[in-house]
Amino acid sequence: MRITRALGAALLTLGLAAAPAAADTPSPGPSDGKAPASAGTSFRTAAEIEQGQRATAGGSAGDYLYWSFPADTGQRPTVRATVKLPGTHAAETWRIDVYDGLRRRQSCQYGAQTRTAAAGASSVELACVLRTVRAWAEPWANDPLPGTYYIRLTAVGLPVLDRGLPVSAEVRVDAEDIGGPAAVDGSLAEPLVPGIATEDLADDDSRAVLFGLEPDDGWSSGWWSDRWVWTAAGGVLAALAGVAGYALTRGPGRPSRVPPGA
């Protein structure tokens, strides 16, 4: 009976510990704000979008189209783009690239990052699944870190006759919360968010005004991970297992030792 109660208490503790972790890591949803209908032409003019938004833009074949979005620790962003082409065109190769806040190009784990549209095709679809964003990395590493990310969409090796033809693009960013399996010991002091302007303060000083978008629940910077929950639950289970093992080895009804002559 004691062992059954101990196991029941352990399962209850584990369930209560895991519930807050699931509540604290909601999946990103569409923003209530209006998605941009145009794209930037450089890193500095990139159009800001939130995760879950579907942004659109018009342009000409041969242009560089830029968007930016926030990605936090433990997220694995997926960038998808659809380019709608004019009725008459030659074979065109389109490419989507993603850069972090330091403007380092990030490799795609999988996805059709580059695709060639056959002559006369109405559209081409691209995708890039990034590696999981880490809370901290060595200075020499190229690991994705929390902060602003940039999307660049363009045609490569474009035929001369197709340059300048009107095109339209749709871009969407979604992210999967990986959680504890991607946790590391360490965190950045601040996310990699570029300053876009300066703000005057009362003491004649100024500070950088950072990128306008951030995750719905703010930047975590790696201070929390569900690995803490499972570590605590494991400690509780180990303690209960020790109590149960002691009760089994001691045995029921075993009299306590009484010193002779007492």
Side-chain angles (χ1 to χ4, degrees):
M1 181 65 68
R2 291 181 180 177
I3 298 176
T4 303
R5 290 179 179 177
L7 292 177
L11 293 175
L12 178 61
T13 302
L14 183 60
L16 292 176
D24 290 343
T25 55
S27 58
S31 170
D32 294 334
K34 186 177 180 180
S38 61
T41 56
S42 67
F43 287 102
R44 294 181 60 85
T45 61
E48 298 178 0
I49 61 174
E50 295 183 356
Q51 294 181 12
Q53 282 186 328
R54 184 179 299 276
T56 59
S60 301
D63 291 346
Y64 286 97
L65 304 178
Y66 286 84
W67 295 267
S68 56
F69 66 93
D72 204 3
T73 300
Q75 293 185 338
R76 181 182 293 166
T78 299
V79 180
R80 294 182 175 89
T82 300
V83 183
K84 297 181 181 180
L85 304 172
T88 303
H89 63 83
E92 298 179 0
T93 300
W94 285 81
R95 180 181 180 89
I96 189 171
D97 293 301
V98 182
Y99 300 82
D100 65 8
L102 298 178
R103 301 185 185 179
R104 303 176 302 179
R105 182 177 172 274
Q106 293 294 318
S107 59
C108 302
Q109 278 191 316
Y110 49 88
Q113 184 181 7
T114 302
R115 267 190 173 176
T116 300
S122 60
S123 64
V124 59
E125 296 183 357
L126 307 167
C128 175
V129 180
L130 297 175
R131 295 171 295 167
T132 303
V133 177
R134 294 166 54 90
W136 177 86
E138 295 288 349
W140 46 262
N142 194 36
D143 295 323
L145 296 171
T148 301
Y149 282 77
Y150 297 93
I151 305 169
R152 185 177 72 181
L153 177 65
T154 189
V156 294
L158 192 67
V160 176
L161 295 179
D162 285 356
R163 294 180 182 177
L165 292 179
V167 297
S168 61
E170 294 182 357
V171 173
R172 181 184 174 97
V173 179
D174 295 289
E176 178 184 0
D177 290 322
I178 303 302
V184 297
D185 295 329
S187 63
L188 296 180
E190 296 289 344
L192 299 179
V193 179
I196 58 175
T198 58
E199 179 182 12
D200 294 331
L201 302 179
D203 55 357
D204 295 331
D205 197 0
S206 62
R207 64 183 177 187
V209 179
L210 301 181
F211 183 73
L213 294 179
E214 64 179 28
D216 293 337
D217 53 354
W219 296 105
S220 66
S221 297
W223 73 272
W224 168 256
S225 168
D226 56 7
R227 188 172 61 175
W228 290 86
V229 176
W230 297 109
T231 301
V236 173
L237 289 175
L240 293 175
V243 173
Y246 174 76
L248 286 174
T249 55
R250 186 172 183 272
R254 183 177 179 180
S256 59
R257 295 183 178 180
V258 180

